[in-house]
Amino acid sequence: MKLSLALTTAALVAGALAAPRSGLARRLEARGILGRRSVPPSKMETLVGENGVLVKSDDGSAEVQYSKNWAGVVREQPPASSATYTQVSATFTVPLPTATDYSGEIQAASAWVGIDGDTYTNAILQTGVDAYVNSNGERAYDAWYEWYPNAAENFAIDLTAGDVIVATVKSTSPSKGVAIIENKSTGRSVTKSMSAPSSSATLGGQNAEWIVEDFNSGSTMVPFANFGQIDFTGARAKTSQGDLGVQNATVLEIEQNGAVLAKVDVKSDSEFTVTYK
Ligand SMILES: *[C@@H]1O[C@H](CO)[C@@H](O)[C@H](O)[C@H]1NC(C)=O
Ligand SMILES: *[C@@H]1O[C@H](CO)[C@@H](O)[C@H](O)[C@H]1NC(C)=O
């Protein structure tokens, strides 16, 4: 489904009570030629921090890696060779995006949970939300699911900044999965069952991640919006050997043009924040 179609569907489902579409939502529809897409992290060849040295996360235990597009926490390996990640979830609040680019371009940031895509790059099963803003301060939001390398498709759910959602992905086999977005205030949820897009895009269950992304439209990166701070709580990854959280996992921060744009602070085994710098 194209971005345009998805926004239209969401608007129709929301029905007559929906607020008038913002200019930004209309423009997203008008230019929705290419699908919204998450892609694996594009990492820096050398892992350098602001001082030009490899840095450690705030809890002192995990390595920080830098990428152009992903900030958050990734569990790069399951706890045992026979184990795989079968479910990843977290609670977060839809952010209020602020423009960082005044050239008229639409800017965005995305928050999601997923299985695979970091060290295992054949596939990503993921679900989350996007927040868009333009230089006039017009905003739009959507919730989506994606089985990379396919583009994302939108859930028919009306979102706005401040909504607290629980995002979950589950795999029932390497080629079958489910994405769930739940409204934490109401307990109501939308669910999508998916199949691997091809036999070469099955899940390995090798990575579990909780990410803020500067995502793509087709093969082009959408300019990154200032998303403020996103607090991931209740971050859990299920394996056949038990549940794991975010402590002692790999921290990814976003670096573009030599500047760190998104920093990560791991607060506990189930909570971390991603802050726009
Ligand atoms: C979640 O529920 C609250 C309270 O009813 C509502 O205001 C909000 O719009 C809902 N958000 C979503 C994404 O369903
Ligand atoms: C993280 O590593 C430290 C140091 O090895 C250890 O004490 C702690 O229990 C670990 N935490 C988790 C949740 O695995």
Side-chain angles (χ1 to χ4, degrees):
M1 190 193 291
K2 288 172 186 164
L3 186 58
S4 56
L5 206 52
L7 284 170
T8 309
T9 311
L12 289 173
V13 168
L17 293 175
R21 322 286 316 284
S22 74
L24 176 58
R26 283 197 303 273
R27 225 160 320 145
L28 286 170
E29 272 176 43
R31 66 153 213 171
I33 304 157
L34 295 167
R36 173 247 180 266
R37 211 161 170 251
S38 282
V39 295
S42 169
K43 291 187 184 171
M44 307 300 149
E45 277 174 25
T46 48
L47 306 176
V48 289
E50 282 156 301
N51 316 320
V53 291
L54 188 71
V55 293
K56 301 280 180 188
S57 73
D58 291 352
D59 70 359
S61 56
E63 184 184 275
V64 176
Q65 296 185 3
Y66 291 90
S67 92
K68 279 186 188 147
N69 51 334
W70 285 23
V73 177
V74 181
R75 299 212 68 101
E76 292 193 327
Q77 278 164 6
S81 56
S82 59
T84 54
Y85 293 109
T86 54
Q87 181 170 332
V88 182
S89 57
T91 300
F92 51 82
T93 301
V94 178
L96 183 75
T98 308
T100 54
D101 176 322
Y102 296 93
S103 66
E105 288 229 58
I106 292 167
Q107 301 137 64
S110 180
W112 54 266
V113 301
I115 296 174
D116 290 333
D118 181 50
T119 56
Y120 181 92
T121 55
N122 290 1
I124 316 173
L125 174 64
Q126 50 184 162
T127 193
V129 303
D130 291 339
Y132 296 86
V133 64
N134 65 10
S135 36
N136 299 329
E138 295 170 305
R139 298 182 171 95
Y141 305 89
D142 55 41
W144 51 269
Y145 51 87
E146 177 177 335
W147 193 315
Y148 172 86
N150 273 4
E153 295 192 30
N154 284 41
F155 275 121
I157 185 172
D158 223 17
L159 280 178
T160 193
D163 284 352
V164 181
I165 64 140
V166 185
T168 305
V169 285
K170 289 183 202 183
S171 66
T172 48
S173 80
S175 59
K176 297 265 180 236
V178 180
I180 305 161
I181 296 281
E182 180 191 328
N183 182 338
K184 185 128 186 186
S185 316
T186 59
R188 252 182 259 138
S189 63
V190 281
T191 299
K192 176 69 186 180
S193 295
M194 284 177 273
S195 297
S198 72
S199 57
S200 57
T202 54
L203 297 170
Q206 298 300 295
N207 311 138
E209 67 263 345
W210 302 263
I211 299 296
V212 172
E213 183 177 12
D214 184 359
F215 61 86
N216 279 21
S217 173
S219 57
T220 309
M221 279 176 88
V222 173
F224 207 24
N226 178 349
F227 54 85
Q229 182 170 303
I230 302 177
D231 193 18
F232 287 77
T233 60
R236 301 310 289 165
K238 270 194 183 157
T239 79
S240 51
Q241 317 259 312
D243 283 15
L244 291 164
V246 292
Q247 233 159 31
N248 303 342
T250 301
V251 166
L252 273 174
E253 297 189 341
I254 291 180
E255 183 182 332
Q256 292 179 2
N257 305 317
V260 175
L261 293 186
K263 283 195 79 71
V264 173
D265 184 9
V266 177
K267 308 265 193 199
S268 73
D269 196 34
S270 60
E271 180 176 6
F272 68 95
T273 56
V274 185
T275 308
Y276 186 88
K277 286 287 162 187

